[in-house]
Amino acid sequence: MKVLVAVKRVVDYNVKVRVKADNSGVDLANVKMSMNPFCEIAVEEAVRLKEKGVATEIVAVSVGPTAAQEQLRTALALGADRAILVESNDELNSLAVAKALKAIVDKEQPQLVILGKQAIDSDNNQTGQMLAALSGYAQGTFASKVEVAGDKVNVTREIDGGLQTVALNLPAIVTTDLRLNEPRYASLPNIMKAKKKPLDVVTPDALGVSTASTVKTVKVEAPAARSAGVKVKSVAELVEKLKNEAKVI
Amino acid sequence: MAILVIAEHNNGALGAATLNTVAAAQKIGGDVVVLVAGQNVGSVAEAAAKIAGVSKVLVADNAAYAHQLPENVAPLIAELGKGYSHVLAAATTNGKNFLPRVAALLDVDQISEIIEVVSADTFKRPIYAGNAIATVQSSAAVKVITVRGTGFDAVAAEGGSAAVEAVSGPADAGKSAFVGEELAKSDRPELTAAKIVVSGGRGMGNGDNFKILYALADKLGAAVGASRAAVDAGFVPNDMQVGQTGKIVAPQLYIAVGISGAIQHLAGMKDSKVIVAINKDEEAPIFQVADYGLVADLFEAVPELEKAV
């Protein structure tokens, strides 16, 4: 079966971002960008399904700026067969991204679509669920185990109290949680080979997708800083401070 | 203006997160209506009707809603939601699962994990693992929002006397089925609601060593959490993880033991009132956010602390 994987270009997870002085957003100039960690897990899962003989073709798709081609090349180096970039240099909200992905799903007709559970920049945790709603497919969010069995996929999900397993009819949408797998690294020969794999670029307009949004960002601020703490010398001093100064125990 | 709050529950008891979500609804202002969707949810509806400030409780009792599968509950909520100015759910794994599906069905954007209500259409929410706070404004006809529980003080669970009304909605969509669940058992307070949280990281060394944290937690009446490193190393189950990708907590006292303090972990606990760090590495980033830091070997300090409190 065909598997579609969505990947997002985001600021690298190790970077401590700074808010711009004019409060219009965070400063992303000259900051290292990478594939969103949850998307790496999604690509890895698709590649493992192919290695098991379940998936026959993996299509990586990204909705984002021209530079997101780098992340698609990474997905190709990791094992995706071809890639599609829906190019938009505007900052898109989850619903617009889900609509663009829906157009690609309509065209490609994959049996399984794998996304990360959330992007570490916007922290929204929405796109997979929205795509499921728009396409009318079942959704298996926060997956820690995915097993395709015939015309169904069993997804074990990480929920607040533990784990839950659901059986979904295919085609279905799965979003990855951290413990689904450990993504591999791209080898140098595979990075070279990935340069020759097909990468198509389309625009939301060409797909007939509106990227208008009902939500706008008014302001971005730095969070309130915590006042500097003190180092205590002993457990006795710590207990004394917690009891008498902070009064929390 | 009326606000629909989706109740968090397990078919038997109302989830505490519902009370924080109702608090957020009251800040927005307007009639607060609570929807309880599930199976045999009579006791949940009764509890919801007693919440202070709730004007009405809608009950959708149907086997299709038993496990709140999003394919089944999202169409119900979207259909009911059209009549409201806001639809709110707690930012639990449950709320995060079905609410974006509701938003897409209504063709509106969703606002995730608000921590503050500025006005009826403007909200604050953390982005970039809590390293920035965005103020966002929605022009949507129905504002679909998840609420971060730690951002709002819970309303009183008693004192209300709302009318309970049965509603019905679409039947089983036939796209998904519940197979089973494995819930971690714990006698300690729930992590997200605990007044005191004791968390362990990679420095604990192994799962067995967590027993010194359990002993301390039991003495303090605290919940026990963990960093991702401790979960990935298999020391403890993943529902104990505190952080950007785990649970968000804001207790009165957070004691971080053997945790370095990566930004993903801080995203889950830096709104705690008092933070204590016990770590033998005095350069660990956790000391930059800790109110009280103790540079010491945790295997000596934690048992000593347990005896002292």
Side-chain angles (χ1 to χ4, degrees):
Chain A
M1 66 181 191
K2 192 193 274 189
V3 178
L4 191 75
V5 189
V7 301
K8 184 175 184 186
R9 175 183 171 88
V10 298
V11 64
D12 189 85
Y13 72 97
N14 282 312
V15 172
K16 187 152 184 355
V17 296
R18 275 174 216 287
V19 171
K20 284 189 200 164
D22 65 356
N23 293 116
S24 62
V26 300
D27 194 355
L28 296 180
N30 303 317
V31 166
K32 186 183 176 203
M33 304 295 277
S34 303
M35 188 190 292
N36 180 43
F38 291 101
C39 303
E40 287 182 356
I41 296 170
V43 173
E44 175 67 28
E45 194 63 17
V47 173
R48 288 187 189 188
L49 286 172
K50 193 171 175 191
E51 286 168 348
K52 275 192 253 175
V54 177
T56 48
E57 189 188 24
I58 302 169
V59 182
V61 53
S62 188
V63 183
T66 319
Q69 290 195 17
E70 281 172 35
Q71 279 62 48
L72 286 171
R73 290 288 172 203
T74 304
L76 293 169
L78 291 169
D81 296 293
R82 59 191 174 88
I84 303 169
L85 174 65
V86 182
E87 189 177 309
S88 169
N89 289 306
D90 301 330
E91 204 165 309
L92 301 181
N93 281 330
S94 311
L95 186 63
V97 172
K99 284 178 178 173
L101 291 175
K102 160 74 163 55
I104 301 294
V105 165
D106 285 348
K107 212 154 85 180
E108 297 285 341
Q109 297 287 316
Q111 284 294 292
L112 195 59
V113 185
I114 313 179
L115 303 88
K117 81 163 176 184
Q118 76 188 53
I120 59 165
D121 51 0
S122 56
D123 283 335
N124 271 327
N125 196 329
Q126 301 172 356
T127 308
Q129 295 89 315
M130 288 179 160
L131 175 61
L134 298 175
S135 56
Y137 295 165
Q139 67 186 55
T141 53
F142 326 142
S144 61
K145 198 167 150 199
V146 175
E147 281 176 320
V148 178
D151 60 350
K152 287 194 192 306
V153 56
N154 285 312
V155 179
T156 301
R157 308 177 51 236
E158 295 195 7
I159 58 169
D160 282 334
L163 297 171
Q164 180 193 65
T165 305
V166 290
L168 313 176
N169 294 358
L170 291 172
I173 311 286
V174 168
T175 74
T176 63
D177 215 320
L178 279 172
R179 268 159 294 275
L180 181 58
N181 60 48
E182 210 161 297
R184 68 193 69 188
Y185 292 98
S187 67
L188 188 58
N190 286 342
I191 293 172
M192 300 311 287
K193 274 185 229 159
K195 291 185 177 168
K196 296 203 179 79
K197 289 185 180 176
L199 193 161
D200 294 330
V201 180
V202 294
T203 62
D205 282 348
L207 295 170
V209 173
S210 153
T211 55
S213 173
T214 55
V215 171
K216 64 170 189 202
T217 300
V218 182
K219 190 166 68 174
V220 175
E221 300 158 289
R226 291 189 73 94
S227 52
V230 294
K231 283 219 172 102
V232 293
K233 291 199 173 54
S234 66
V235 168
E237 188 187 346
L238 175 63
V239 172
E240 191 275 323
K241 294 245 190 221
L242 290 177
K243 277 190 174 145
N244 302 322
E245 197 174 278
K247 297 187 171 57
V248 284
I249 57 172
Chain B
M1 199 160 66
I3 300 166
L4 185 64
V5 171
I6 318 301
E8 174 82 17
H9 67 86
N10 60 5
N11 289 319
L14 186 73
T18 312
L19 302 176
N20 306 83
T21 313
V22 169
Q26 287 180 343
K27 288 243 164 77
I28 294 168
D31 268 359
V32 179
V33 177
V34 174
L35 169 68
V36 179
Q39 188 180 24
N40 301 326
V41 284
S43 57
V44 181
E46 251 172 63
K50 286 187 194 140
I51 300 174
V54 170
S55 67
K56 190 160 70 171
V57 174
L58 305 178
V59 183
D61 204 320
N62 188 322
Y65 310 144
H67 299 284
Q68 306 207 324
L69 294 175
E71 297 79 7
N72 297 344
V73 297
L76 165 77
I77 299 167
E79 195 50 46
L80 291 170
K82 283 176 192 159
Y84 294 84
S85 60
H86 298 72
V87 177
L88 269 54
T92 55
T93 48
N94 222 355
K96 289 177 189 172
N97 192 26
F98 61 67
L99 210 64
R101 194 167 177 120
V102 172
L105 292 175
L106 290 168
D107 196 26
V108 296
D109 290 284
Q110 179 193 284
I111 302 176
S112 293
E113 304 218 22
I114 61 162
I115 52 169
E116 195 181 318
V117 173
V118 178
S119 71
D121 66 357
T122 308
F123 309 91
K124 288 192 179 184
R125 59 176 301 264
I127 52 174
Y128 290 90
N131 286 304
I133 307 294
T135 303
V136 294
Q137 191 172 30
S138 170
S139 58
V142 183
K143 292 163 186 68
V144 178
I145 297 166
T146 60
V147 176
R148 183 175 283 189
T150 57
F152 299 88
D153 292 331
V155 297
E158 302 283 337
S161 56
V164 177
E165 187 182 303
V167 292
S168 59
D172 194 332
K175 290 180 178 140
S176 58
F178 172 84
V179 177
E181 61 191 4
E182 251 177 82
L183 299 180
K185 292 209 166 43
S186 173
D187 298 330
R188 294 188 187 86
E190 201 206 342
L191 198 49
T192 52
K195 292 261 185 293
I196 303 178
V197 173
V198 180
S199 275
R202 200 195 301 272
M204 297 304 296
N206 61 48
D208 258 2
N209 290 339
F210 263 73
K211 63 178 189 279
I212 62 171
L213 294 191
Y214 294 138
L216 174 62
D218 289 342
K219 203 89 171 268
L220 292 167
V224 178
S227 69
R228 185 182 165 199
V231 172
D232 280 353
F235 299 173
V236 292
N238 59 38
D239 56 306
M240 282 170 64
Q241 185 186 323
V242 172
Q244 185 185 18
T245 56
K247 294 197 170 124
I248 313 288
V249 300
Q252 293 290 304
L253 172 61
Y254 188 90
I255 306 180
V257 181
I259 292 176
S260 65
I263 52 176
Q264 291 83 0
H265 185 73
L266 301 183
M269 46 65 83
K270 68 189 172 68
D271 292 327
S272 306
K273 186 162 171 269
V274 174
I275 297 174
V276 170
I278 301 175
N279 204 306
K280 66 180 175 194
D281 174 13
E282 62 178 311
E283 302 294 323
I286 190 77
F287 286 119
Q288 291 164 20
V289 300
D291 298 280
Y292 302 108
L294 176 63
V295 180
D297 183 344
L298 66 95
F299 296 107
E300 286 164 20
V302 173
E304 202 188 322
L305 181 59
E306 188 223 319
K307 285 196 191 79
V309 294

